[in-house]
Amino acid sequence: MTTPREDSEEDYSIRGIQTAKFLDYPELHSKDESLSAGMCLKIYKTMARVRALEQRTIKMSKSGEGYFWVGGPGEEAFNVCLGLQVHKGRGPAFDYLHLHYRSAGVMMAMGMPMADHFRQMAMKLTDRHSKGRNFVGHYAIPEWNVVPVSSVIEVQYTMAPGTAIVQKRHGGEGVSVVTGGDAGTAEGDFTSCMIWSTRPNQALPVLMIVTNNGFGISTAANTQHGESSIAARGNAFGIPGEVVDGNDVIACWWAIYRAFDYCRTTRRPYILEAKVSRLHGHSSSSGASRVSTEADCITLLEEKLIANKILNRETAEMIHQQASDEADTAVDQVMQEADPTADDVNRYTFAPSRWDVIYPDDYTGLPS
């Protein structure tokens, strides 16, 4: 079984700045679980970079540097822990990712540069995910098994069993991970995923994740859902699951670990529901202003690190400033890059087909 990454030398330093003497405090605790101080600092630093990226993206939408914003500020704790535990690679031996448009934390934890996110926000020709065609958060990275993100809500839940079938036939420990929001689980695609993942003698290694922020755009979930939890819907299909506090880094880390462990070892599906915050509303459509009444997972982890003398406020402020500077630099670079032209509209859109007699010349090659 693939285990979470061990702490490395990098975990114990932040851009050359040795933090407090946390080696004397090797673990942080949450209830009956714990995580090493080094890993907590690595997660914290990544969360700070993701937050800086999201805030700079919102600024782009309001300043005219970019277009429509949608993202996941408030989901950093869960998404960063998920990205750090993905078995990254290409092909069925590795995990497939069927993400939705609030997954910047997953991608940043996997190693995506900030510029790759901003290129899509600015719809630049250099956007590696869609060549400037799609709006932000619609990632696609073949070499990491990141399946193209769709704007159509929840269709990814019907795609995940497809890659999981390939993984089941291939053998090994690869898992098809699918993520979505709470509102979309009311659609049939979510149920289709449970059905296809639990057919008799054909169960599939699908990790079904729901990041539940309590809203479907502007509709409160508690006015629409009568069940005890979304994860409990798996009971009817024999799918085990868990509900986790998505603002608690340590709880998230181990809940994700248990979910991956189950899928990798049993080759069966699992449902993980994370209760997360929504710190800037749904998207540009709701104004993207900060919501002060929601808990902030970065602040919660920061206070825990400081209380345990693993971090001090000066270093914390430096980490946030470095992240903000990194985001500004990346945007400055991206804004100098080329825009698509009208001639690019049909490029990379259609695959070649000898049966296509109407548009035989549409195929212009795969993106480089």
Side-chain angles (χ1 to χ4, degrees):
M1 187 192 74
T2 303
T3 56
R5 300 171 194 175
E6 297 295 329
D7 293 352
S8 66
E9 197 67 31
E10 178 190 358
D11 303 327
Y12 293 95
S13 67
I14 297 172
R15 292 196 177 181
I17 303 168
Q18 197 69 26
T19 54
K21 296 179 179 178
F22 55 81
L23 289 175
D24 295 333
Y25 307 88
E27 293 186 333
L28 250 65
H29 295 264
S30 177
K31 298 181 180 177
D32 59 348
E33 295 177 315
S34 64
L35 196 61
S36 74
M39 182 56 76
C40 288
L41 273 172
K42 180 175 184 174
I43 293 169
Y44 171 75
K45 179 187 173 188
T46 307
M47 290 168 65
R49 293 179 67 236
V50 176
R51 180 64 58 82
L53 174 131
E54 292 280 20
Q55 291 176 335
R56 189 64 181 86
T57 310
I58 293 171
K59 184 177 179 181
M60 290 177 74
S61 73
K62 294 177 180 291
S63 67
E65 294 172 304
Y67 299 90
F68 185 87
W69 170 79
V70 64
E75 300 188 15
E76 291 90 347
F78 183 86
N79 285 338
V80 169
C81 288
L82 174 61
L84 288 174
Q85 296 189 56
V86 166
H87 189 194
K88 185 176 73 176
R90 186 170 193 162
F94 301 91
D95 297 336
Y96 280 96
L97 294 169
H98 302 264
L99 304 173
H100 65 153
Y101 46 63
R102 302 189 190 279
S103 303
V106 178
M107 300 296 289
M108 293 276 286
M110 292 176 67
M112 181 184 74
M114 284 190 180
D116 280 356
H117 174 93
F118 292 135
R119 288 184 176 108
Q120 193 167 48
M121 181 62 185
M123 292 188 168
K124 292 291 183 178
L125 183 61
T126 49
D127 161 31
R128 65 156 298 159
H129 306 294
S130 64
K131 293 292 182 186
R133 288 184 173 82
N134 220 331
F135 56 91
V136 73
H138 289 62
Y139 309 115
I141 302 183
E143 58 269 32
W144 292 358
N145 280 351
V146 177
V147 177
V149 173
S150 169
S151 292
V152 181
I153 303 298
E154 305 299 295
V155 296
Q156 65 270 25
Y157 283 101
T158 53
M159 298 175 184
T163 53
I165 288 173
V166 175
Q167 290 172 310
K168 191 76 174 284
R169 291 173 178 171
H170 178 272
E173 297 182 342
V175 171
S176 287
V177 181
V178 55
T179 69
D182 49 289
T185 63
E187 297 195 12
D189 305 279
F190 191 79
T191 303
S192 293
C193 188
M194 291 191 287
I195 293 171
W196 272 87
S197 300
T198 56
R199 290 182 300 161
N201 302 315
Q202 298 181 71
L204 299 173
V206 178
L207 173 50
M208 301 174 65
I209 291 174
V210 180
T211 49
N212 184 350
N213 62 24
F215 283 92
I217 304 181
S218 57
T219 303
N222 59 16
T223 66
Q224 303 298 314
H225 294 276
E227 72 273 38
S228 59
S229 71
I230 293 171
R233 293 186 207 167
N235 293 339
F237 297 86
I239 303 176
E242 180 176 353
V243 180
V244 64
D245 178 357
N247 285 319
D248 185 330
V249 164
I250 297 170
C252 287
W253 180 269
W254 291 114
I256 292 166
Y257 176 81
R258 287 189 290 273
F260 266 126
D261 185 28
Y262 182 86
C263 294
R264 295 195 198 288
T265 56
T266 69
R267 314 306 289 154
R268 296 185 62 84
Y270 190 94
I271 298 178
L272 181 56
E273 178 182 354
K275 296 291 188 68
V276 299
S277 296
R278 193 175 73 163
L279 296 183
H280 283 267
H282 177 266
S283 61
S284 291
S285 63
S286 56
S289 298
R290 178 63 183 252
V291 179
S292 60
T293 55
E294 299 252 359
D296 186 340
C297 56
I298 295 181
T299 301
L300 292 173
L301 177 58
E302 187 173 291
E303 293 300 323
K304 188 183 283 283
L305 289 166
I306 292 174
N308 285 272
K309 303 186 187 308
I310 295 168
L311 189 70
N312 57 52
R313 295 202 181 279
E314 180 184 10
T315 306
E317 290 174 3
M318 188 180 302
I319 290 170
H320 285 292
Q321 186 59 55
Q322 288 174 338
S324 179
D325 292 345
E326 180 186 358
D328 285 339
T329 300
V331 171
D332 289 344
Q333 171 195 331
V334 165
M335 296 311 294
Q336 303 302 315
E337 298 175 358
D339 296 312
T341 68
D343 293 337
D344 295 318
V345 170
N346 290 323
R347 290 173 58 82
Y348 317 124
T349 301
F350 302 103
S353 171
R354 56 180 169 156
W355 293 282
D356 188 349
V357 297
I358 299 176
Y359 304 108
D361 299 323
D362 280 348
Y363 181 70
T364 50
L366 294 171
S368 58

